[in-house]
Amino acid sequence: SYPQQPQPPREPQRRQPAGLLRAVKSGVVVLAVFGAVGYWVWDYNTSPTGGKAKAEAAASAAADEAKKHEPEIGDCVKVKDPDGEPVPTVVDCDSAEAEYKLDEWMPGKYQECGSEYDYGIQFRNSGHRASYTMCFTKV
């Protein structure tokens, strides 16, 4: 067996231009992704037709719709399905749709409207309110 001859030292390798090109491409892709996400966040929060505006409009519409079915003392209503599951809808007291006026709102289960009232609706655990009864007189 012969002794192995020492290998001549290698010259330091230079970075290949392809490595630099790959790094630049990766940087451009990362910037594009961050730019797209940033634009989406900005548009969502600031555009009048963006996601935040749509969500706020939907929440406002839902609140307005709920308010139409939660009359306060003195409000006039029309009642959908008065014999089944009645749903009072607030209407203008001067309109032809007005059927009843809310005169009393009684919290608690199984409250009964007195004989001075023409109509009553009992609600049990409806939405954010506990059980209650609404008492109406004809308009």
Side-chain angles (χ1 to χ4, degrees):
S1 122
Y2 297 101
Q4 282 190 325
Q5 293 191 347
Q7 297 276 332
R10 291 185 184 179
E11 288 186 31
Q13 288 186 343
R14 290 188 166 179
R15 268 201 120 157
Q16 299 296 325
L20 180 61
L21 186 59
R22 191 175 308 130
V24 169
K25 285 181 181 178
S26 296
V28 167
V29 168
V30 168
L31 285 175
V33 168
F34 276 109
V37 169
Y39 176 77
W40 181 82
V41 169
W42 174 81
D43 184 61
Y44 182 88
N45 288 304
T46 61
S47 172
T49 58
K52 186 175 182 181
K54 287 179 183 174
E56 288 172 352
S60 177
D64 287 347
E65 181 64 25
K67 193 172 184 101
K68 283 198 283 185
H69 300 293
E70 294 180 2
E72 296 180 7
I73 301 291
D75 284 346
C76 292
V77 299
K78 66 179 179 178
V79 180
K80 180 181 175 189
D81 194 18
D83 298 322
E85 295 205 17
V87 177
T89 302
V90 176
V91 295
D92 189 325
C93 287
D94 295 330
S95 77
E97 292 181 300
E99 298 174 313
Y100 301 99
K101 183 175 183 178
L102 179 59
D103 290 321
E104 188 171 355
W105 186 92
M106 298 183 292
K109 286 186 178 182
Y110 310 112
Q111 298 288 333
E112 294 290 331
C113 296
S115 60
E116 68 271 25
Y117 300 109
D118 297 306
Y119 186 68
I121 303 175
Q122 291 183 350
F123 291 92
R124 293 185 186 91
N125 300 325
S126 172
H128 65 280
R129 293 184 178 176
S131 298
Y132 60 96
T133 300
M134 292 183 191
C135 300
F136 300 90
T137 53
K138 280 202 175 285
V139 175

